[in-house]
Amino acid sequence: MHVLALNPLDPHSLLAAFGPLGVAVVLFAETGLLIGFFLPGDSLLFTAGLLCATTSGATLHLSLPWVLVAAAAGALLGAQTGFLIGRRAGPALLDRPDRPRLHAAVVRSREALDNYGIGKAVVLARFIPLVRTVLNPLAGALGVSTRAFTLWQIVGGLLWSLGVTLAGYLLGSQIPSIDTYLLPLIAVIVLLSLIPVARELIRARRESKGNRVP
C-alpha cells in the first residue's frame, strides 16, 4: 500500500516509504542522473531534518545521524557519477535543444563555469535546482580536471546536504510540539522549494521563445 501511494514529488511520502535510504537515492538521482532533475532535493533535505526533530513516538521520526550520512553519500556519489557520465558521453549528452528546460540549465551551468570558475561554480550549483543536475555531467564533458571537480563537489555537496538538513532540524527543535505543526510546515517548505524551479522553467520558456523569433 505504501509503494502504491508513493508520490516521488512529495518529501513526506518519500521519507515515510524509505526513510534515510530514500534521501540517499533521491539525491543520487537528482545530482547524478539527468532524469532526476524534477526530484525535490532541497525540500526533501529540509523535511528530513524536521522529522529528525520530532519525538520518538511520532508517526514519523528519523535518526539525525543516519539522515546526515545518507544525505552526504547520495549528494557526493551522485555528483561524481554525473561527472563520469559526462566525461564518457561527451558534449552530445547535453546538446538537447529539443528539451527547453535541460537546454536552459546547460546554458546557466556554462555561464556559471565561465563567470565563477570551476570551484565556485560547482559549490554554488548545489543550491540551484536544475543547475545542480546539469553542471556535473557538463563539467565532465568539458574536460574539467577530475581532481579539481572532486575537491569542490565534496565541499559543495557537504555544505548543501548537511547544511539544509541541519537547518530543518534546528528549526524543528525550536518549535514546541513540532509534531502538531509538521504537515503545514512541510506544505510551506514544498511551496517555497518550487519557487526557484518555477523561475527556471519560466526563464527556459522565455529563452525558447526568444530563440524562435526570426
Side-chain angles (χ1 to χ4, degrees), residues 43-56:
S43 56
L44 181 70
L45 288 171
F46 201 87
T47 301
L50 280 176
L51 291 173
C52 291
T54 59
T55 61
S56 57

Side-chain angles (χ1 to χ4, degrees), residues 15-199:
L15 293 168
F18 302 112
L21 178 61
V23 175
V25 171
V26 167
L27 295 195
F28 179 86
E30 188 190 18
T31 59
L33 308 175
L34 289 175
I35 58 173
F37 70 90
F38 65 91
L39 292 170
D42 293 319
S43 56
L44 181 70
L45 288 171
F46 201 87
T47 301
L50 280 176
L51 291 173
C52 291
T54 59
T55 61
S56 57
T59 304
L60 182 55
H61 173 77
L62 300 178
S63 165
L64 181 62
W66 279 113
V67 169
L68 292 176
V69 169
L76 301 186
L77 292 175
Q80 204 67 29
T81 299
F83 176 80
L84 294 175
I85 290 174
R87 178 62 60 87
R88 285 182 171 274
L93 175 69
L94 299 168
D95 187 16
R96 299 294 300 275
D98 58 315
R99 298 179 64 180
R101 284 176 291 181
L102 177 60
H103 179 68
V106 170
V107 171
R108 289 204 64 187
S109 297
R110 286 183 183 275
E111 291 175 351
L113 287 170
D114 292 339
N115 294 335
Y116 302 116
I118 180 62
K120 201 169 185 179
V122 170
V123 172
L124 291 177
R126 288 289 193 170
F127 299 89
I128 307 174
L130 300 181
V131 175
R132 64 170 163 260
T133 303
V134 170
L135 189 134
N136 302 320
L138 178 64
L142 294 178
V144 170
S145 162
T146 300
R147 179 178 296 183
F149 176 82
T150 302
L151 169 64
W152 291 111
Q153 77 93 348
I154 290 175
V155 173
L158 293 178
L159 284 174
W160 175 60
S161 61
L162 303 186
V164 176
T165 303
L166 289 173
Y169 176 75
L170 291 175
L171 176 63
S173 300
Q174 298 301 313
I175 301 177
S177 304
I178 181 64
D179 302 1
T180 306
Y181 308 103
L182 192 58
L183 291 180
L185 275 173
I186 291 175
V188 171
I189 292 165
V190 172
L191 288 175
L192 291 176
S193 69
L194 291 176
I195 293 175
V197 176
R199 290 176 61 187

